[in-house]
Amino acid sequence: MNLLGKTVVLTGACGGIGACLAEELAKAGARLLLVGRDQRALERLRSILPGGPLPHMIYVANLCVEEDRAGLKLACSDAQVDILINNAGVGEFNLLEQSSSDAIASLLDLNLNVPIQLTRLLLPTLKSRPTAAIINIGSALGSIGYPAYSVYSASKFGLRGFSEALRRELTDSGVRVMHFAPRATRTPLNDSKVQAMNAALGTATDAPELVAQALLKRIRTNRWQASVFGWPERFYALLNAMNPAFTDGAIEKQLPEIKRFAADKSLPE
Ligand SMILES: NC(=O)c1ccc[n+]([C@@H]2O[C@H](COP(=O)([O-])OP(=O)(O)OC[C@H]3O[C@@H](n4cnc5c(N)ncnc54)[C@H](OP(=O)(O)O)[C@@H]3O)[C@@H](O)[C@H]2O)c1
């Protein structure tokens, strides 16, 4: 898909991956509607985009609030939106017993309910365009269930299932659906505990710029199928689908370290 002149709604625009996506999309000539909760951060991002701020718009919204989502739909009604990127998300590195009921509910809301609801709201607009796309930012942990990420994994497995079903539901329309799943990426989503654990376990991490460039390449070359970004995570995702017992064994070896970091109160979150 050629991005020149396309209108893109990008949620989580000011986050680590979101800001890099905004930069790449602006460079490719797209017109952006940047969505986030912090007006000043959105304005700052808009002001530094390649090509200048003029073509782009901002929309301040807490996406967990239904009225804010309805307001976003209204803001999009005249904008002829071609692409929706559901990127806003939160992480939670915690053993299930340590997780609060509120944290579980709000993570599932933002990571799973919000992209489904936003997609439903913007689908009529997207269907009115000759070609359009919905891009859901998942995670490698949406294919590989990982200890201390049970709730996050549940949300991203759910998002992957939603994306796959919707992609098939919309095959006979002009709307393409992509599920793009980065592995660990160096953004504020990962607190110092997670960074320390990744370093101790030798887990590969990517720069958000690289993740954004990889997604842009997939959009440009029309690779709409679900994909986990990064090797060997893509291989493990396939292996886990075919033979989860093998992955159980590999992860069991890491479990004492994972639990040690999850329980560590000395590192700031
Ligand atoms: N970092 C990783 O290791 C990694 C790996 C795989 C997948 N991912 C996925 O990539 C996506 C982006 O993550 P990131 O790493 O860029 O995280 P990030 O830097 O923490 O950014 C998350 C963004 O989500 C937005 N957000 C949070 N709660 C919101 C709410 N209630 N309403 C509206 N926006 C809200 C934040 O916007 P505000 O500006 O309003 O705070 C922020 O811009 C997420 O879906 C994440 O699950 C990340």
Side-chain angles (χ1 to χ4, degrees), residues 12-18 36-38 61-64 87-90 110-111 137-140 152 156 182-185 187-190:
C14 296
I17 293 174
R37 290 169 300 178
D38 181 339
N62 178 345
L63 293 173
C64 293
N87 168 66
V90 280
L110 183 66
N111 289 9
I137 306 300
S139 164
Y152 183 76
K156 295 294 184 177
R183 62 181 177 182
T185 308
T187 73
L189 185 117
N190 296 318

Side-chain angles (χ1 to χ4, degrees), residues 192-213:
S192 57
K193 268 189 197 184
V194 175
Q195 291 168 30
M197 180 183 74
N198 285 341
L201 294 175
T203 304
T205 62
D206 290 317
E209 292 82 1
L210 193 75
V211 173
Q213 285 157 12

